[in-house]
Amino acid sequence: MPNKMKNIIYIALILCQFLLVLLSESGFYNELSVLICLLFAVAYAVSKLLSQLTIVAMKNTLYKPVVPAIFAFLLLLAWESIVKGFAISPILLPSPSNIFYALITNIPMLWADFKQTYLKAVLAGYIMGCLSGFIVAQWAVKNEVLRNSLLPLGNFMSAIPIVGIAPIMVMWFGFDWQSKATVIVIMTFFPMFINTLAGLQSTDKLHNDLMHTYATKKSQILLKNQLPHALPFIFNALKLNSTLALIGAIVAEFFGTPIVGMGFRISTEVGRMNMDLVWATIVVATIAGSLSYGALALLEKSLLFWHPSYRDGKNNS
C-alpha cells in the first residue's frame, strides 16, 4: 500500500477517535469495551506519523516544533479518552477539558497566584541566590580555606529537605513572599556556587600562564579567560535553579502564606476536592517553569555559539 494511502488511514483513525470522545456519553468504554481497540490503533497510527515527521524535521528545521505539538495533542486526546471512556471520577483524575475550563474561568485568581509566587518570591529568591553563589565562588577560587569550608557545607545543605527549612523561614521572615524567597536562596546558592567554582577552575593552565606572561590584570583574566570557560557550568546551574526555585516557592507556601499563591491554591483546593483547579494551577506552574528554562537555554545558545558542544551539534545536523 502506498505511503500516502497509509497516512490517510492513520489520520482517519485519529479523527474517528476525536469524534468518539467529542460525541459519546461518559463511560462509553464500559458500555462497549471493543472501542478500546480504536485507541490502540490510534497509538500505532501516531507512532507511524511521528516517525515520518521526525525524518522530515531533520531535513527542514521549520517542522521541528510540529512533532512535539502533535504528540502533545494526541497525548491529551488519549487522556481525555481514558477519563471519559471509563467514567473516571474527577477527584481521582480530571479530564484535560475540565482542567482547561477551570483554567479559563479562573484567570484572575490564577494570575494573582502567579504574581505572588513567581513574580515576587521566585524571581527575588532566584536572583539573590544565583548572584550570591556566583560572587562567593569568585572569592573561593582564590581562597583555599573558604573553598574547603563551603564545599562540604554544600553537600550538607543539599541533603536538607525543603519541608524542614520552609516552616523555620516562615517563622523567621513572616508569611509573605520574603520567607519563600529565603527558602529559594538557600536552595539555589550552592548549585550556583559549586558549578561556578568548577567552571572557574576548569581554565587551561597554558592560557593562565600566557596571560600572566603578558602581565594582564585580574579583571582581564576573569573576563577573558575564566568566565568564558565557566559559562557552560554557570548556565547549567541557572537552568537547574530555575526549576528548583519554583518548586521551593510552591512547597514553602504550604507552611504559611497570605490567601494567595500557587502553593496556597493547591493546598486549599485539595481540601475542597476541587481537583480541576488544582490541576489548572499545576499547568500554570509548569508553563512558567518551562518558559524560564527555555529562555535560559536560548540565551545559553546565543552566548555559547563558539563552544565545541554547539559547533559539533551544528556540524552533525
Side-chain angles (χ1 to χ4, degrees):
M1 185 182 297
N3 286 333
K4 187 175 181 180
M5 183 62 66
K6 289 182 180 179
N7 292 338
I8 293 174
I9 295 174
Y10 296 153
I11 295 172
L13 288 171
I14 296 170
L15 183 60
C16 288
Q17 181 66 32
F18 179 77
L19 293 174
L20 176 66
V21 174
L22 185 65
L23 302 176
S24 299
E25 296 292 332
S26 180
F28 55 85
Y29 284 147
N30 295 329
E31 296 177 1
L32 193 60
S33 57
V34 72
L35 290 174
I36 195 70
C37 296
L38 178 60
L39 186 60
F40 289 111
V42 168
Y44 176 79
V46 168
S47 65
K48 291 297 183 181
L49 286 174
L50 290 180
S51 297
Q52 297 179 35
L53 285 173
T54 302
I55 296 173
V56 175
M58 292 175 64
K59 299 177 181 178
N60 191 343
T61 56
L62 294 176
Y63 287 93
K64 281 188 176 181
V66 176
V67 176
I70 292 176
F71 180 78
F73 169 75
L74 294 170
L75 189 64
L76 292 175
L77 179 60
W79 182 354
E80 184 81 22
S81 302
I82 293 171
V83 171
K84 188 174 181 180
F86 290 106
I88 298 175
S89 170
I91 296 176
L92 295 177
L93 183 65
S95 63
S97 57
N98 289 342
I99 296 171
F100 180 75
Y101 180 77
L103 181 64
I104 295 299
T105 55
N106 294 280
I107 287 178
M109 180 191 298
L110 293 173
W111 172 247
D113 294 337
F114 175 78
K115 286 196 297 183
Q116 174 69 20
T117 302
Y118 191 87
L119 298 183
K120 291 182 179 180
V122 171
L123 288 183
Y126 179 80
I127 292 171
M128 289 188 292
C130 292
L131 186 60
S132 58
F134 177 79
I135 293 172
V136 174
Q138 291 188 63
W139 296 341
V141 79
K142 305 171 187 176
N143 190 321
E144 188 175 355
V145 175
L146 182 62
R147 183 167 63 250
N148 293 336
S149 300
L150 284 177
L151 283 176
L153 185 60
N155 297 327
F156 173 76
M157 293 298 295
S158 63
I160 298 178
I162 308 173
V163 293
I165 300 174
I168 299 172
M169 295 301 106
V170 170
M171 292 177 62
W172 286 1
F173 297 98
F175 290 96
D176 209 348
W177 62 269
Q178 291 87 349
S179 57
K180 287 68 183 178
T182 307
V183 172
I184 295 169
V185 169
I186 295 172
M187 293 180 64
T188 57
F189 173 84
F190 283 103
M192 174 57 75
F193 169 76
I194 293 171
N195 277 274
T196 304
L197 183 62
L200 293 174
Q201 291 178 324
S202 67
T203 53
D204 194 334
K205 292 183 178 180
L206 182 62
H207 293 169
N208 294 334
D209 293 339
L210 181 63
M211 298 196 79
H212 283 298
T213 302
Y214 286 109
T216 53
K217 298 178 181 179
K218 292 182 178 180
S219 59
Q220 292 177 316
I221 294 175
L222 174 65
L223 294 176
K224 295 184 178 182
N225 186 27
Q226 291 180 317
L227 192 59
H229 283 86
L231 276 178
F233 296 85
I234 293 172
F235 272 105
N236 183 49
L238 288 173
K239 291 186 291 185
L240 174 64
N241 284 343
S242 67
T243 56
L244 286 178
L246 188 57
I247 294 171
I250 292 175
V251 172
E253 286 180 345
F254 278 72
F255 297 94
T257 183
I259 53 172
V260 66
M262 287 191 280
F264 168 80
R265 192 66 52 203
I266 292 172
S267 61
T268 302
E269 299 304 327
V270 164
R272 297 174 180 173
M273 295 298 179
N274 188 6
M275 301 306 296
D276 295 347
L277 189 53
V278 171
W279 280 85
T281 307
I282 293 172
V283 169
V284 173
T286 303
I287 293 172
S290 300
L291 290 177
S292 301
Y293 189 94
L296 288 169
L298 289 175
L299 181 61
E300 179 185 19
K301 188 174 182 180
S302 63
L303 293 178
L304 295 178
F305 60 90
W306 53 269
H307 197 263
S309 60
Y310 286 96
R311 293 205 309 266
D312 293 344
K314 289 180 180 179
N315 293 335
N316 293 335
S317 60

Coordinates of all heavy atoms in Angstrom, one line a residue, residues 156-189:
F156 N 26.0 19.1 52.6 CA 25.2 19.0 53.8 C 23.8 19.7 53.5 O 22.8 19.2 53.8 CB 25.9 19.6 55.0 CG 25.0 19.7 56.2 CD1 24.7 18.6 57.0 CD2 24.4 21.0 56.6 CE1 23.9 18.7 58.1 CE2 23.6 21.1 57.7 CZ 23.3 19.9 58.5
M157 N 23.9 20.9 53.0 CA 22.7 21.7 52.7 C 21.8 21.1 51.7 O 20.5 21.1 51.7 CB 23.0 23.1 52.3 CG 23.7 24.0 53.4 SD 22.6 24.2 54.8 CE 21.3 25.2 54.1
S158 N 22.4 20.4 50.7 CA 21.6 19.8 49.6 C 20.8 18.6 50.2 O 19.9 18.1 49.6 CB 22.5 19.3 48.5 OG 23.5 18.3 48.9
A159 N 21.3 18.0 51.3 CA 20.6 16.9 51.9 C 19.4 17.3 52.8 O 18.6 16.4 53.2 CB 21.6 16.0 52.7
I160 N 19.3 18.6 53.1 CA 18.2 19.1 54.0 C 16.9 19.2 53.1 O 16.9 19.9 52.1 CB 18.6 20.4 54.6 CG1 19.8 20.3 55.5 CG2 17.4 20.9 55.4 CD1 20.2 21.6 56.2
P161 N 15.8 18.5 53.5 CA 14.6 18.6 52.7 C 14.0 20.0 52.9 O 14.1 20.7 53.9 CB 13.7 17.6 53.4 CG 14.2 17.4 54.8 CD 15.7 17.7 54.7
I162 N 13.2 20.4 51.8 CA 12.6 21.7 51.8 C 11.6 21.8 52.9 O 11.4 22.9 53.6 CB 11.8 21.9 50.5 CG1 12.8 21.7 49.3 CG2 11.3 23.3 50.4 CD1 12.1 21.7 48.0
V163 N 10.9 20.7 53.2 CA 9.8 20.7 54.3 C 10.4 21.0 55.6 O 9.7 21.3 56.6 CB 9.0 19.4 54.3 CG1 8.2 19.3 53.0 CG2 10.0 18.2 54.4
G164 N 11.7 20.8 55.8 CA 12.4 21.1 57.0 C 12.8 22.6 57.2 O 12.8 23.2 58.2
I165 N 13.1 23.2 56.0 CA 13.6 24.6 56.0 C 12.4 25.5 56.0 O 12.4 26.6 56.7 CB 14.5 24.8 54.8 CG1 15.7 23.9 54.8 CG2 14.9 26.3 54.7 CD1 16.6 24.1 53.6
A166 N 11.4 25.2 55.2 CA 10.3 26.2 55.0 C 9.6 26.6 56.2 O 9.4 27.9 56.4 CB 9.3 25.5 54.0
P167 N 9.2 25.8 57.2 CA 8.5 26.3 58.4 C 9.4 27.2 59.2 O 8.9 28.2 59.8 CB 8.2 25.0 59.1 CG 8.3 23.9 58.2 CD 9.3 24.3 57.2
I168 N 10.7 26.9 59.2 CA 11.6 27.8 60.0 C 11.7 29.2 59.4 O 11.6 30.2 60.1 CB 13.0 27.2 60.1 CG1 12.9 25.8 60.8 CG2 13.9 28.1 60.8 CD1 14.1 25.0 60.8
M169 N 11.8 29.2 58.0 CA 11.9 30.5 57.3 C 10.6 31.3 57.5 O 10.6 32.5 57.6 CB 12.2 30.3 55.9 CG 13.5 29.6 55.6 SD 14.9 30.6 56.2 CE 15.4 29.6 57.6
V170 N 9.4 30.6 57.5 CA 8.1 31.3 57.7 C 8.1 31.9 59.1 O 7.6 33.0 59.3 CB 7.0 30.3 57.5 CG1 5.6 30.9 57.9 CG2 6.9 29.9 56.0
M171 N 8.6 31.2 60.1 CA 8.6 31.8 61.5 C 9.6 33.0 61.5 O 9.3 33.9 62.3 CB 9.0 30.7 62.4 CG 8.0 29.6 62.6 SD 8.6 28.3 63.7 CE 8.8 29.2 65.2
W172 N 10.7 32.9 60.8 CA 11.7 34.0 60.9 C 11.3 35.2 60.1 O 11.4 36.3 60.6 CB 13.0 33.5 60.4 CG 13.7 32.6 61.3 CD1 13.3 32.1 62.5 CD2 15.0 31.9 61.1 NE1 14.2 31.3 63.1 CE2 15.3 31.1 62.3 CE3 15.9 32.0 60.1 CZ2 16.4 30.4 62.4 CZ3 17.1 31.2 60.2 CH2 17.3 30.5 61.4
F173 N 10.8 35.0 58.9 CA 10.5 36.1 58.0 C 9.1 36.4 57.7 O 8.8 37.3 56.8 CB 11.3 35.9 56.6 CG 12.8 35.8 56.8 CD1 13.4 34.5 56.9 CD2 13.6 36.9 56.9 CE1 14.8 34.4 57.0 CE2 14.9 36.8 57.0 CZ 15.5 35.6 57.1
G174 N 8.2 35.7 58.3 CA 6.7 36.0 58.1 C 6.1 35.2 57.0 O 6.7 34.4 56.4
F175 N 4.8 35.5 56.8 CA 4.0 34.7 55.9 C 4.1 35.2 54.4 O 3.6 34.5 53.5 CB 2.5 34.7 56.3 CG 2.3 33.9 57.6 CD1 2.3 34.5 58.8 CD2 2.2 32.5 57.5 CE1 2.1 33.8 60.0 CE2 2.0 31.8 58.7 CZ 2.0 32.4 59.9
D176 N 4.6 36.4 54.2 CA 4.6 36.9 52.9 C 5.7 36.3 52.0 O 6.4 35.3 52.4 CB 4.7 38.4 52.9 CG 4.0 39.1 51.7 OD1 3.6 38.4 50.8 OD2 3.8 40.3 51.8
W177 N 6.0 36.9 50.8 CA 6.9 36.3 49.9 C 8.3 36.3 50.3 O 9.2 35.5 49.8 CB 6.8 37.0 48.5 CG 7.2 38.5 48.6 CD1 6.4 39.6 48.9 CD2 8.5 39.0 48.5 NE1 7.1 40.7 48.9 CE2 8.4 40.4 48.6 CE3 9.8 38.5 48.2 CZ2 9.5 41.3 48.6 CZ3 10.9 39.3 48.2 CH2 10.8 40.7 48.3
Q178 N 8.7 37.1 51.3 CA 10.1 37.1 51.8 C 10.6 35.8 52.3 O 11.7 35.4 52.1 CB 10.3 38.2 52.9 CG 10.1 39.6 52.4 CD 8.7 40.1 52.4 OE1 7.7 39.3 52.6 NE2 8.4 41.4 52.1
S179 N 9.7 35.1 53.1 CA 10.1 33.8 53.6 C 10.3 32.8 52.5 O 11.3 32.0 52.5 CB 9.1 33.3 54.6 OG 7.8 33.2 54.0
K180 N 9.5 32.8 51.5 CA 9.7 31.9 50.3 C 10.9 32.3 49.5 O 11.7 31.4 49.1 CB 8.5 32.0 49.4 CG 7.2 31.3 50.0 CD 6.7 32.1 51.1 CE 5.4 31.5 51.8 NZ 5.0 32.2 52.9
A181 N 11.2 33.5 49.4 CA 12.4 33.9 48.7 C 13.7 33.5 49.4 O 14.7 33.1 48.8 CB 12.5 35.5 48.5
T182 N 13.6 33.5 50.8 CA 14.7 33.0 51.6 C 15.0 31.5 51.4 O 16.1 31.0 51.3 CB 14.5 33.3 53.1 OG1 14.2 34.7 53.2 CG2 15.7 32.9 53.9
V183 N 13.9 30.7 51.3 CA 14.0 29.3 51.0 C 14.6 29.1 49.7 O 15.5 28.2 49.5 CB 12.6 28.6 51.1 CG1 12.7 27.2 50.6 CG2 12.0 28.7 52.5
I184 N 14.3 29.9 48.7 CA 14.8 29.8 47.3 C 16.3 30.1 47.3 O 17.1 29.5 46.6 CB 14.0 30.6 46.3 CG1 12.6 30.1 46.2 CG2 14.7 30.7 45.0 CD1 11.7 31.1 45.5
V185 N 16.7 31.1 48.1 CA 18.1 31.5 48.2 C 18.9 30.3 48.7 O 20.0 30.0 48.2 CB 18.3 32.7 49.1 CG1 19.8 33.0 49.4 CG2 17.7 34.0 48.4
I186 N 18.4 29.7 49.7 CA 19.1 28.5 50.3 C 19.2 27.4 49.3 O 20.2 26.7 49.2 CB 18.4 28.1 51.6 CG1 18.4 29.1 52.7 CG2 19.0 26.8 52.1 CD1 17.6 28.9 53.9
M187 N 18.2 27.2 48.5 CA 18.2 26.1 47.6 C 19.0 26.4 46.4 O 19.6 25.4 45.8 CB 16.7 25.8 47.1 CG 15.8 25.3 48.2 SD 14.1 25.0 47.5 CE 14.5 23.7 46.3
T188 N 19.2 27.6 45.9 CA 19.9 27.9 44.7 C 21.3 28.4 44.9 O 22.1 28.4 43.9 CB 19.1 29.0 43.9 OG1 19.0 30.2 44.8 CG2 17.7 28.6 43.5
F189 N 21.7 28.7 46.1 CA 23.0 29.3 46.4 C 24.1 28.2 46.0 O 25.0 28.5 45.3 CB 23.2 29.7 47.8 CG 24.6 30.1 48.2 CD1 25.0 31.4 47.9 CD2 25.4 29.2 48.8 CE1 26.3 31.8 48.2 CE2 26.7 29.6 49.1 CZ 27.2 30.8 48.8

